[in-house]
Amino acid sequence: MRRRAAPTLALCLALTGLTGLTGLTGLTACTAPDAEAPPAPAGLTAQAGSATTVHVMWNAAADRDGVTGYRVFEGDRLVRALPAGQTMVDVTGLAPQTGYAFTVRARDAAGNLSEPAPAARATTPAARAEDRTAPTAPATTTGRATGPRAAALSWTAATDDTGVTAYDVYQGGVRIHTAGPGESGTALSGLRPDTVYTFTVRARDGADNSSPDGPAVDVTTPPASGEGPGTAPAEFGAAASPGAVTLTWTAPDTGRETTEYELYVNGRATTVIQFGAGAVPSGRVEHRLTVAEPAGTEWAVKLRARLPDGNWGAFSAERRITLVA
């Protein structure tokens, strides 16, 4: 196992200006250059998403490995250079009905490249001319946490006139995982403890047509050992009525009354909901917002509570609504 310790300190003595045997000037401390490469990325997979694209994924490096980026290769050809925080990529511009082999190498701050991960292979399907019909959405989605940082999802198969080629998992409107056409479930890792995730699944065909979202499923990861009770508002709901939106949730157990909640709309902090003395709710909470936006406006809403230490807690599940007149 590689361990990034503090750099080894070497003494670079510039023996200039000697005065007798006691005066040394020009004493400089320098660090030995880092020549140790990080380990190869683990868990590399490749899945054709269409006739011209392949989705490549791998596991994130451990902090101790000092990885600052990744290099993705198709054969001997560099196709993408990515930062350390990105562990998946769609490789585009490929040929239909062609086999490809992908490898990934980790890079550290000194420019050392790891050995390639074992190659992941994928074959693109045949192109379908003028295919503009999207697959049906998966009819059901289920999910459960399998630990503080992991979850398992499953879904029912979709249908398509030319055949489903992939299933894409979304969280908060962002694609985070791609599974093969014959798969009906997957394991997700790299999640945060004590967090509510709202997952949806879309089917995709060989022409890159995506289905609508399947039913959303909420998965709450448990707190990590020693972190105490969860801080996310539970059972969050949002309902639109003429000129208003009604929000409901269960207050988290923070050890004190929760007087403030920060509301996010479409990914941006919009307002802080405050409850005054004598009006602080416990248990089930209901709050009504007056809205001026036109009917048909779509909102994605979520909120989080102010904790006793002054920080914001974990987010609730996200709910999508359409405003009405």
Side-chain angles (χ1 to χ4, degrees):
M1 179 182 295
R2 185 185 197 224
R3 187 175 296 277
R4 286 275 180 179
T8 302
L9 187 64
L11 293 180
C12 302
L13 300 179
L15 299 179
T16 60
L18 285 174
T19 303
L21 297 176
T22 59
L24 291 178
T25 62
L27 181 64
T28 305
C30 66
T31 58
D34 177 11
E36 184 182 2
L44 180 64
T45 62
Q47 173 64 51
S50 72
T52 59
T53 64
V54 169
H55 186 70
V56 182
M57 296 181 63
W58 57 94
N59 296 338
D63 290 342
R64 64 176 177 271
D65 293 331
V67 171
T68 60
Y70 299 99
R71 300 292 186 267
V72 182
F73 294 83
E74 187 279 302
D76 295 329
R77 179 174 65 97
L78 175 66
V79 293
R80 291 294 295 272
L82 302 170
Q86 189 170 342
T87 58
M88 67 182 204
V89 66
D90 282 320
V91 180
T92 60
L94 304 177
Q97 290 185 292
T98 303
Y100 292 94
F102 296 92
T103 58
V104 177
R105 301 177 72 177
R107 186 178 189 272
D108 64 16
N112 300 308
L113 285 176
S114 74
E115 290 296 316
R121 300 179 183 277
T123 300
T124 52
R128 302 288 185 178
E130 299 299 323
D131 179 8
R132 300 187 180 182
T133 302
T136 63
T140 61
T141 313
T142 60
R144 60 184 178 86
T146 56
R149 294 176 174 81
L153 292 184
S154 60
W155 54 86
T156 52
T159 59
D160 183 72
D161 59 338
T162 62
V164 172
T165 60
Y167 290 95
D168 296 321
V169 178
Y170 285 77
Q171 195 281 316
V174 177
R175 183 166 55 134
I176 63 169
H177 187 77
T178 294
E183 298 181 44
S184 60
T186 192
L188 302 174
S189 59
L191 306 181
R192 290 183 298 174
D194 185 26
T195 301
V196 182
Y197 290 93
T198 302
F199 297 109
T200 57
V201 179
R202 301 177 193 173
R204 189 154 42 103
D205 65 17
D208 264 346
N209 299 307
S210 287
S211 75
D213 284 336
V217 59
D218 294 339
V219 174
T220 303
T221 54
S225 178
E227 289 190 4
T231 62
E235 300 172 311
F236 180 57
S241 58
V245 170
T246 300
L247 307 175
T248 55
W249 66 91
T250 299
D253 179 11
T254 63
R256 299 183 191 173
E257 291 182 328
T258 304
T259 62
E260 293 182 71
Y261 295 87
E262 187 177 38
L263 177 67
Y264 274 62
V265 176
N266 295 336
R268 300 180 61 182
T270 302
T271 188
V272 174
I273 301 169
Q274 295 180 313
F275 297 95
V280 179
S282 60
R284 198 67 181 155
V285 184
E286 181 174 310
H287 182 76
R288 189 173 186 270
L289 298 169
T290 300
V291 298
E293 284 81 353
T297 300
E298 294 185 352
W299 277 12
V301 293
K302 60 183 178 181
L303 53 76
R304 57 184 180 176
R306 178 82 76 178
L307 304 181
D309 64 3
N311 293 320
W312 293 108
F315 278 111
S316 71
E318 184 176 76
R319 298 291 178 239
R320 293 182 177 272
I321 57 173
T322 301
L323 304 186
V324 298

